[in-house]
């Protein structure tokens, strides 16, 4: 894109991506609403590229698609980004298929409230230029088998702007607008990264923000044994023995005095990995186990287990996506059948309420039956015509052959008669 004049545009720094994995940064130049170069409230040199600023975090992707209404059909691409210094909202870059659709969207939604119950308004600006300044990787490079594919993770169809608009979430995962509009959660369907980050939790008693545990039974949040031990006191008072460590997302069993599950969510890439375990002899020092004789054995074993878990997770995800596709297809089929049934019932109801329409329908049905009867007769006559034409042709050929044979016999008899007459005349002349 061409850069706009700095005197006519505002500069906004933005970023996107999961901060734990990779963060992409960029700059966008937006036309200001207070510039004198506007003609009919629209900037000169504008493009079919808009930016919706300060969308509240509680507004999900489905809510925004519903808010846009029929304009979603004209959107080629929507990209969710976060602006620097704005923690409770996000922005959306929208590229339309034509300038007219972008202008109409701007006039219709600029200054309009997102909801009649909220005070937030839709602030729409034309974008003069958008470019990316860099990318920061916070983890190791992702294997080629797990990179983003040009297919929608929901419907498994190819992402094509010509057939359906594409929405890219704040964590850089792309979906069809029609598919993501059915996702009512504010998290990403692929990595579960949530655009609305939770607030800082504190202990319900001492308000300590560190070493927090949440009871999975009643939701009580208390500090751990290395602080004031309010979580343990809650267990002793209520006998709720399972608590979730908010930092690591692991569940602790106070009765068994250990963690209850082997799979945890990795902090680096968000995937499920096996919880690190140690040899049972490491208290006194491991001397007889195989892990002590071969230093690379433990690492190889851990890598193989993690790889097996990742493969199993990918297979489960693929199966769930296939089931989800079949589920949505069945819903569409049910909607179509329900629509056809409602249309039929509405027609029958209107006919019952209007006797004249009922008579016309009876006459129409009778005419349709007569037409069908006449069509059947016409088909039969057409088939019979071909049969009789074939029989007539056969009879004519047979009669022609008979006439030819008859003519040949008559000619032969005439020749014999002429020969006989000639012999009689000869005998008379001799006598």
């Amino acid at each position: 894109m061409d850069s706009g004049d700095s005197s006519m545009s505002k500069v906004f720094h933005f970023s996107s991506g999961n901060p734990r994995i990779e963060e992409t940064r960029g700059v966008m130049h937006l036309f200001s609403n207070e510039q004198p170069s506007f003609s009919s409230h629209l900037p000169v040199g504008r493009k079919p590229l808009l930016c919706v600023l300060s969308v509240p975090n509680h507004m999900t992707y489905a809510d925004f698609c519903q808010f846009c209404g029929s304009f979603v059909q004209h959107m080629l691409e929507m990209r969710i980004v976060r602006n620097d210094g704005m923690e409770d909202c996000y922005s959306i870059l929208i590229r339309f298929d034509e300038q007219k659709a972008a202008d109409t969207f701007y006039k219709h939604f600029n200054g309009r409230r997102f909801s009649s119950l909220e005070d937030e308004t839709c602030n729409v600006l034309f974008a003069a230029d958008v470019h990316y300044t860099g990318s920061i990787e916070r983890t190791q490079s992702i294997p080629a088998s797990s990179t983003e594919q040009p297919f929608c993770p929901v419907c498994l169809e190819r992402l094509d702007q010509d057939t359906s608009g594409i929405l890219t979430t704040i964590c850089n995962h792309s979906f069809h607008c029609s598919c993501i509009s059915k996702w009512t959660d504010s998290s990403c369907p692929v990595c579960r990264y949530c655009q609305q980050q939770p607030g800082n939790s504190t202990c319900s008693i001492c308000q300590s923000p560190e070493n927090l545990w949440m009871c999975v039974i009643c939701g009580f949040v208390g500090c751990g044994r290395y602080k004031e031990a309010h979580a343990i006191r809650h267990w002793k008072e209520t006998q709720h023995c399972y608590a979730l460590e908010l930092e690591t997302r692991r569940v602790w069993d106070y009765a068994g005095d250990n963690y209850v599950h082997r799979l945890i969510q990795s902090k680096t890439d968000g995937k499920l990995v096996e919880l690190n375990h140690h040899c049972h002899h490491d208290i006194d020092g491991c001397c007889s186990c195989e892990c002590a004789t071969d230093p690379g054995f433990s690492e190889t074993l851990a890598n193989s287990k993690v790889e097996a878990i990742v493969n199993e997770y990918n297979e489960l995800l693929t199966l769930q996506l296939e089931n989800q596709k079949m589920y949505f297809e069945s819903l569409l089929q049910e909607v179509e059948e329900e629509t056809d049934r409602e249309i039929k019932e509405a027609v029958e109801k209107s006919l019952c309420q209007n006797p004249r329409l009922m008579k016309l329908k009876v006459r129409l049905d009778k005419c349709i039956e007569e037409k069908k009867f006449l069509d059947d007769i016409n088909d039969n006559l057409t088939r019979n015509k071909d049969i009789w034409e074939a029989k007539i042709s056969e009879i004519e050929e047979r009669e022609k052959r008979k006439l030819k044979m008859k003519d040949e016999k008559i000619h032969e008899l005439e020749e014999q008669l002429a020969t006989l007459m000639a012999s009689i005349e000869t005998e008379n002349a001799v006598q």
Side-chain angles (χ1 to χ4, degrees), residues 14 58 72 97 121 162 166 239 351 368 377 392 397 405:
F14 69 89
H58 62 78
V72 177
D97 55 357
T121 59
D162 297 333
I166 299 175
Q239 297 301 315
L351 292 175
I368 292 175
I377 293 177
I392 291 173
E397 292 293 335
M405 293 175 60

Side-chain angles (χ1 to χ4, degrees), residues 213-256:
W213 298 78
M214 182 181 70
C215 177
V216 298
I217 306 298
C218 64
F220 173 83
V221 178
C223 55
R225 64 184 68 186
Y226 300 108
K227 291 295 182 178
E228 300 295 332
H230 290 130
I232 299 179
R233 294 180 186 177
H234 174 74
W235 161 60
K236 293 179 179 179
E237 294 174 357
T238 62
Q239 297 301 315
H240 295 169
C241 59
Y242 297 112
L244 174 70
E245 187 178 7
L246 297 183
E247 183 179 359
T248 62
R249 303 295 180 182
R250 293 182 292 179
V251 178
W252 180 265
D253 180 12
Y254 286 107

Side-chain angles (χ1 to χ4, degrees), residues 72-181:
V72 177
Q73 302 175 0
H74 299 281
M75 297 178 181
L76 297 179
E77 183 179 5
M78 287 193 293
R79 179 173 289 273
I80 313 298
V81 297
R82 65 174 70 88
N83 293 111
D84 295 348
M86 299 181 181
E87 300 295 337
D88 57 345
C89 60
Y90 61 93
S91 298
I92 304 178
L93 288 169
I94 307 175
R95 183 161 60 89
F96 288 86
D97 55 357
E98 58 182 0
Q99 187 64 51
K100 182 180 179 181
D103 296 343
T104 307
F105 182 89
Y106 174 83
K107 294 178 181 178
H108 185 73
F109 289 106
N110 187 29
R112 183 177 177 181
R113 297 172 62 179
F114 288 108
S115 173
S116 59
L117 302 177
E118 303 291 340
D119 296 332
E120 294 91 347
T121 59
C122 181
N123 187 12
V124 184
L125 295 177
F126 280 94
D129 183 22
V130 177
H131 63 274
Y132 295 92
T133 58
S135 177
I136 302 175
E137 293 187 4
R138 306 190 184 277
T139 59
Q140 298 179 354
S141 59
I142 302 175
S145 61
S146 61
T147 55
E148 187 73 14
Q149 299 294 329
F151 292 90
C152 177
V154 177
C155 65
L156 304 181
E157 299 292 339
R158 184 176 296 274
L159 292 172
D160 189 0
Q161 296 179 353
D162 297 333
T163 58
S164 177
I166 299 175
L167 186 144
T168 303
T169 60
I170 202 168
C171 52
N172 293 334
H173 289 110
S174 298
F175 306 85
H176 288 129
C177 292
S178 57
C179 296
I180 198 67
S181 61

Side-chain angles (χ1 to χ4, degrees), residues 312-365:
E312 183 179 2
Y313 175 76
N314 291 333
E315 293 178 358
L316 291 175
L317 179 61
T318 303
L319 180 61
Q320 291 297 325
L321 291 175
E322 290 288 348
N323 294 335
Q324 193 173 12
K325 180 181 178 182
M326 295 175 60
Y327 171 71
F328 282 117
E329 289 179 351
S330 63
L331 289 182
L332 289 175
Q333 185 177 1
E334 291 178 0
V335 170
E336 292 177 356
E337 294 177 354
E338 182 67 21
T339 303
D340 295 339
R341 184 167 58 253
E342 290 179 355
I343 292 175
K344 184 177 179 181
E345 292 177 355
V347 171
E348 293 178 353
K349 184 177 180 180
S350 61
L351 292 175
C352 294
Q353 294 178 354
N354 195 333
R356 184 177 179 182
L357 290 178
M358 180 64 72
K359 293 180 180 179
L360 292 176
K361 185 177 183 301
V362 172
R363 293 179 58 185
L364 178 62
D365 295 339

